[in-house]
Amino acid sequence: GAVVSQHPSWVICKSGTSVKIECRSLDFQATTMFWYRQFPKQSLMLMATSNEGSKATYEQGVEKDKFLINHASLTLSTLTVTSAHPEDSSFYICSAEGRSRNTEAFFGQGTRLTVV
Amino acid sequence: QKEVEQNSGPLSVPEGAIASLNCTYSDRVSQSFFWYRQYSGKSPELIMSIYSNGDKEDGRFTAQLNKASQYVSLLIRDSQPSDSATYLCAVISSGSARQLTFGSGTQLTVLP
């Protein structure tokens, strides 16, 4: 299947700093990328949807100024957690899909963010 | 009201048995349905996709879709301890710009 690479796989940062997470589609053009957050023992919650070349669409309750998403190319989307706080500690997962209507979304490996 | 419902479990089955996982969804015009497996600390891995009524088999896995009843299920035959994971049902609903809506997941444990 298609490969989506997410980096880093884990990161520890100090409160107040910013962290950037990258999501790359390695063997297909991702017209749409999705960013999810998952807290322990909970399901994936969609944070935002990004289409290449346009502004991301954020889900209700997700602060767009705190979670900056850039989808500058068909193979790369980035999520920057700005001024991170301990409550932002979570598992962040991206997924990407191509142009076909019925294509499945493929997930990156996830990034475990710990804010201390 | 949740759009995708799953029993959270935990569900325990002995090795070699059939594990049955169920999921219901609320959007009647949903068209695409997926089952993902997620091991602890890992991202979801696609197991099955199904788009039309009936059964779809892939190895030990069978997905069943009943749009009239708005439910989709996953059967795992000859369950193995390595199947122990959380299984997530996901649906792409109409008018949702192809966003996956996930159920809360069912934790499955296969006992050796």
Side-chain angles (χ1 to χ4, degrees):
Chain A
V3 178
V4 176
S5 176
Q6 188 173 340
H7 177 81
S9 57
W10 61 271
V11 58
I12 301 173
C13 72
K14 290 185 176 180
S15 187
T17 62
S18 296
V19 174
K20 179 184 283 189
I21 303 170
E22 291 188 350
C23 181
R24 294 180 184 272
S25 57
L26 299 184
D27 55 359
F28 69 103
Q29 292 184 331
T31 52
T32 306
M33 288 189 173
F34 304 91
W35 287 95
Y36 297 85
R37 180 168 52 184
Q38 186 177 34
F39 292 107
K41 299 193 182 301
Q42 295 186 22
S43 191
L44 282 75
M45 297 301 297
L46 180 66
M47 299 176 65
T49 303
S50 73
N51 294 297
E52 184 265 341
S54 61
K55 289 184 178 180
T57 302
Y58 289 81
E59 295 300 299
Q60 191 172 8
V62 179
E63 300 175 57
K64 63 179 181 180
D65 294 330
K66 180 170 182 64
F67 299 99
L68 302 178
I69 292 173
N70 185 290
H71 191 166
S73 76
L74 284 171
T75 60
L76 174 64
S77 177
T78 61
L79 167 67
T80 301
V81 183
T82 63
S83 187
H85 290 95
E87 57 265 31
D88 298 324
S89 299
S90 186
F91 192 47
Y92 292 86
I93 310 172
C94 72
S95 73
E97 66 171 34
R99 300 183 186 276
S100 171
R101 282 300 295 176
N102 272 343
T103 190
E104 300 91 354
F106 297 95
F107 286 86
Q109 303 96 317
T111 297
R112 174 74 58 193
L113 170 64
T114 302
V115 185
V116 299
Chain B
Q1 182 182 359
K2 287 186 179 178
E3 296 182 31
V4 181
E5 295 265 9
Q6 291 181 255
N7 290 328
S8 60
L11 172 67
S12 294
V13 299
E15 184 174 357
I18 295 175
S20 177
L21 306 165
N22 299 311
C23 171
T24 58
Y25 58 94
S26 60
D27 187 343
R28 180 168 292 278
V29 296
S30 297
Q31 294 297 322
S32 304
F33 308 87
F34 307 89
W35 282 100
Y36 287 87
R37 176 175 64 197
Q38 186 176 26
Y39 293 111
S40 180
K42 303 292 185 182
S43 66
E45 170 192 9
L46 181 67
I47 298 294
M48 293 282 285
S49 59
I50 187 166
Y51 306 104
S52 55
N53 278 328
D55 295 359
K56 179 181 178 182
E57 186 175 319
D58 184 0
R60 296 187 294 113
F61 300 96
T62 299
Q64 299 173 320
L65 175 61
N66 184 323
K67 291 186 178 181
S69 300
Q70 294 176 235
Y71 91 77
V72 56
S73 64
L74 179 70
L75 300 177
I76 307 174
R77 291 181 298 281
D78 188 23
S79 297
Q80 302 297 309
S82 58
D83 295 326
S84 299
T86 297
Y87 288 80
L88 300 167
C89 173
V91 174
I92 293 179
S93 298
S94 61
S96 62
R98 294 192 51 73
Q99 296 167 357
L100 281 168
T101 300
F102 285 88
S104 55
T106 299
Q107 185 180 342
L108 171 67
T109 301
V110 180
L111 303 170

